[in-house]
Amino acid sequence: MAMTSSERLRLIKTAVILGVVFIGIQFIRPELKNPPVTADLQAPPEVKQILKTSCYSCHSNETKLPWFDEVAPAYWIATSDVKEARKHLNFSEIGKLRVAQQKGLLFEAISNIQTGAMPLPSYRRVHPGSRVTLAQMAVLKSWLNPPAPTGAANTSAADAGYERWIQASSVVPDVHPSPNGIEFMPDYRNWKVISCTDRFDNHTMREILGNDIAVKAIAENHINPWPDGTAFAKVAWRQLPDGKGIIRTGAFIQVEFMIRDSDKYASTKGWGWARWRGADLVPYGKDAAFTSECINCHAPVRNSDYVYTLPIGGQQ
Amino acid sequence: MRAQRSYLLGTVFSLSILSILGCSNPYPPVVATLNKSAALPGNLPSNPLQDRVITSWIDKQHGTMSTLFGNDIAVQYARTSQQQDYPIGSTLSLVTWTQQEDPRWFGARIPAKVKSVEYVIVKAGADHRTSYTYESYEGTPLKQTLEQQAPTPTPQAQYLISQRAAVMP
């Protein structure tokens, strides 16, 4: 059916308006600067090459947008993503951080690539060259993989911590709530073991414990989502190598909680997050906004309800 | 970095042609799943996972990780005493797993397959004196490989008894 002349006119008008709007929005350009590179990552060239190709476009001060990212509205999204990315991890300034902090960020980066969280899936789709291949991943991993500790650790701090604790273990500690209002749950010690981890990246070891609701959910394999009332405690200790190949739990570092209540904690992904550090159980976080750290770190496992741990089967 | 905004949508708006370049990711997506390989198959006198944790350790040479559990009496004792004189009624159990790389966190190892389960049971003997039973289970499914009972703990039982509790304030 042929278009009438008025229909044709309306179509042309719409196209012209859209064209003008498209050209117009090109003039709205939030500034995206490349500040000087002050403390670039120190890494072998083959590692650097992979990071430059896959990460530096957003996570450095050497952002080079391809031409199609220069076109609004893609440009707006790109600038906003780059600013956000630099806040979290900036390879051009990473050298300013303590070595342990740098390592933590690099391990997190590799885990994020491994879980498919990075580069952002939406980014990968339009920048296929940013994908990290399995061969490249092997290069990154062997670079970061630390040698196993040799020699016996000094046990004095762990011994002193143990002495203090065993003397006071029947005393109920006076513990302040977390800044988001969550109260410490001393009964975590009596929860059941769900799994354990050997964190060789930061020389800690952990036991992950769950309350009865969590254990029942595992037994019934109803873990995505976890039922309301689920609570996990992750207890972390320093690794204490004895110099003969055995690593024991050393000084207590912290206990962290995830508590499931989809209504009460709706604004923090349905989980209440809390952490108490050190033998004195000092609540972690300046204010309630500390939970954004928890959620950011757990975001790569959002498809498993923000839980990293694969619970050991056969809990009944 | 993890903004929820769809990068794709914006780009499609200006340059829909590029979206067809989408490629598959070499890394499988994270899904909720149980670690079934680390379960404890076989007929055991009791399920250590039903008990509470006393401590844990890692054996670098053998690539294994172990968790020492205790029943109520044993845990209560381990967490309040520096001695190695577990009262009658105590059951300690040690589960040793081989390790696997954590598929979700590069930098961590988690339990893979169960290598062995060991028990130390402190009982009152016929003469009302304390006796120590040591049992070990190995294989898939786990089968008993050893059972010893004596008035004093065997060296391996003594090794489990002598582990001090991990600090849990």
Side-chain angles (χ1 to χ4, degrees):
Chain A
M1 196 173 72
M3 266 192 239
T4 64
S5 59
S6 72
E7 274 172 346
R8 200 176 300 138
L9 193 65
R10 205 164 62 220
L11 201 69
I12 292 167
K13 265 191 190 167
T14 311
V16 167
I17 290 167
L18 279 178
V20 168
V21 167
F22 182 70
I23 292 163
I25 64 170
Q26 301 310 316
F27 293 95
I28 307 168
R29 297 191 73 75
E31 197 176 22
L32 183 65
K33 276 191 188 161
N34 272 337
V37 176
T38 50
D40 200 22
L41 178 76
Q42 299 302 306
E46 66 274 20
V47 169
K48 210 62 179 285
Q49 188 52 48
I50 298 166
L51 297 176
K52 287 216 169 195
T53 309
S54 297
C55 316
Y56 266 56
S57 188
C58 296
H59 291 280
S60 82
N61 295 345
E62 299 178 69
T63 300
K64 288 185 210 99
L65 295 182
W67 67 269
F68 51 87
D69 278 340
E70 294 281 0
V71 181
Y75 176 77
W76 303 339
I77 296 161
T79 49
S80 149
D81 278 356
V82 169
K83 283 174 188 168
E84 183 73 26
R86 284 176 180 171
K87 263 193 261 170
H88 192 79
L89 166 63
N90 187 336
F91 286 110
S92 304
E93 298 174 9
I94 196 171
K96 280 191 242 169
L97 303 175
R98 284 185 292 114
V99 174
Q101 280 178 303
Q102 293 187 37
K103 280 213 132 183
L105 283 170
L106 292 165
F107 271 94
E108 189 183 343
I110 291 191
S111 293
N112 278 332
I113 296 169
Q114 194 160 264
T115 54
M118 281 287 147
L120 288 179
S122 48
Y123 180 86
R124 274 199 311 263
R125 245 168 265 144
V126 282
H127 306 83
S130 71
R131 286 181 310 124
V132 180
T133 64
L134 291 171
Q136 290 175 321
M137 189 63 139
V139 173
L140 295 178
K141 282 186 171 182
S142 69
W143 168 59
L144 266 185
N145 218 341
T150 51
N154 180 347
T155 61
S156 54
D159 291 346
Y162 172 74
E163 299 281 336
R164 266 200 312 278
W165 173 69
I166 206 95
Q167 306 297 344
S169 53
S170 54
V171 180
V172 179
D174 176 26
V175 183
H176 292 284
S178 169
N180 53 351
I182 293 177
E183 296 281 350
F184 182 65
M185 293 180 281
D187 198 42
Y188 81 88
R189 308 171 190 112
N190 298 324
W191 294 354
K192 297 199 170 110
V193 169
I194 280 177
S195 191
C196 47
T197 41
D198 166 9
R199 282 284 300 271
F200 61 87
D201 56 348
N202 59 13
H203 307 300
T204 65
M205 48 200 289
R206 290 127 192 266
E207 288 287 339
I208 297 112
L209 313 176
N211 68 358
D212 289 345
I213 296 175
V215 170
K216 185 165 177 275
I218 296 167
E220 295 169 355
N221 200 1
H222 287 151
I223 60 168
N224 199 17
W226 290 83
D228 274 359
T230 295
F232 302 117
K234 189 166 69 185
V235 199
W237 299 272
R238 294 227 171 287
Q239 292 193 348
L240 207 61
D242 70 354
K244 294 175 210 145
I246 304 291
I247 295 172
R248 293 203 163 73
T249 52
F252 168 84
I253 300 171
Q254 61 188 21
V255 56
E256 302 169 296
F257 293 89
M258 278 175 81
I259 305 150
R260 186 51 188 257
D261 189 323
S262 11
D263 293 332
K264 194 169 168 190
Y265 304 122
S267 65
T268 51
K269 311 294 182 190
W271 291 98
W273 311 77
R275 172 193 279 168
W276 282 267
R277 299 204 62 155
D280 299 330
L281 298 169
V282 178
Y284 180 84
K286 274 203 293 278
D287 51 47
F290 82 91
T291 51
S292 66
E293 272 179 55
C294 313
I295 294 163
N296 278 342
C297 198
H298 282 252
V301 289
R302 59 170 75 79
N303 291 337
S304 61
D305 202 11
Y306 293 88
V307 175
Y308 271 103
T309 303
L310 275 68
I312 293 170
Q315 295 267 8
Q316 58 256 325
Chain B
M1 179 159 95
R2 298 184 179 89
Q4 293 293 311
R5 292 177 306 273
S6 168
Y7 200 97
L8 182 63
L9 269 182
T11 312
V12 161
F13 182 77
S14 46
L15 282 159
S16 58
I17 191 168
L18 279 164
S19 65
I20 56 163
L21 293 174
C23 294
S24 65
N25 178 33
Y27 308 101
V30 171
V31 288
T33 171
L34 293 174
N35 185 354
K36 286 194 179 134
S37 69
L40 278 46
N43 281 325
L44 296 172
S46 65
N47 181 357
L49 295 173
Q50 286 297 297
D51 283 344
R52 294 186 264 150
V53 64
I54 295 176
T55 188
S56 53
W57 60 87
I58 299 158
D59 185 334
K60 282 281 163 195
Q61 281 162 357
H62 298 100
T64 59
M65 56 205 306
S66 302
T67 300
L68 181 66
F69 297 85
N71 67 353
D72 288 351
I73 295 172
V75 163
Q76 167 66 21
Y77 178 78
R79 291 179 182 168
T80 50
S81 172
Q82 300 190 57
Q83 312 305 311
Q84 299 170 15
D85 204 8
Y86 277 90
I88 287 166
S90 297
T91 297
L92 289 90
S93 47
L94 181 76
V95 181
T96 300
W97 289 275
T98 56
Q99 292 188 307
Q100 60 174 317
E101 211 178 289
D102 186 342
R104 299 184 184 177
W105 187 268
F106 169 60
R109 293 190 193 99
I110 59 170
K113 244 171 70 114
V114 175
K115 188 165 171 267
S116 64
V117 179
E118 297 160 77
Y119 294 89
V120 178
I121 303 157
V122 187
K123 284 190 275 208
D127 55 357
H128 301 290
R129 293 181 49 188
T130 308
S131 99
Y132 296 86
T133 305
Y134 171 81
E135 297 176 29
S136 83
Y137 295 77
E138 286 174 61
T140 315
L142 291 157
K143 284 209 178 92
Q144 193 175 65
T145 51
L146 200 62
E147 182 173 2
Q148 294 165 319
Q149 194 171 346
T152 52
T154 61
Q156 177 62 6
Q158 184 56 42
Y159 181 71
L160 304 194
I161 284 172
S162 65
Q163 301 299 322
R164 71 185 188 191
V167 174
M168 294 172 81

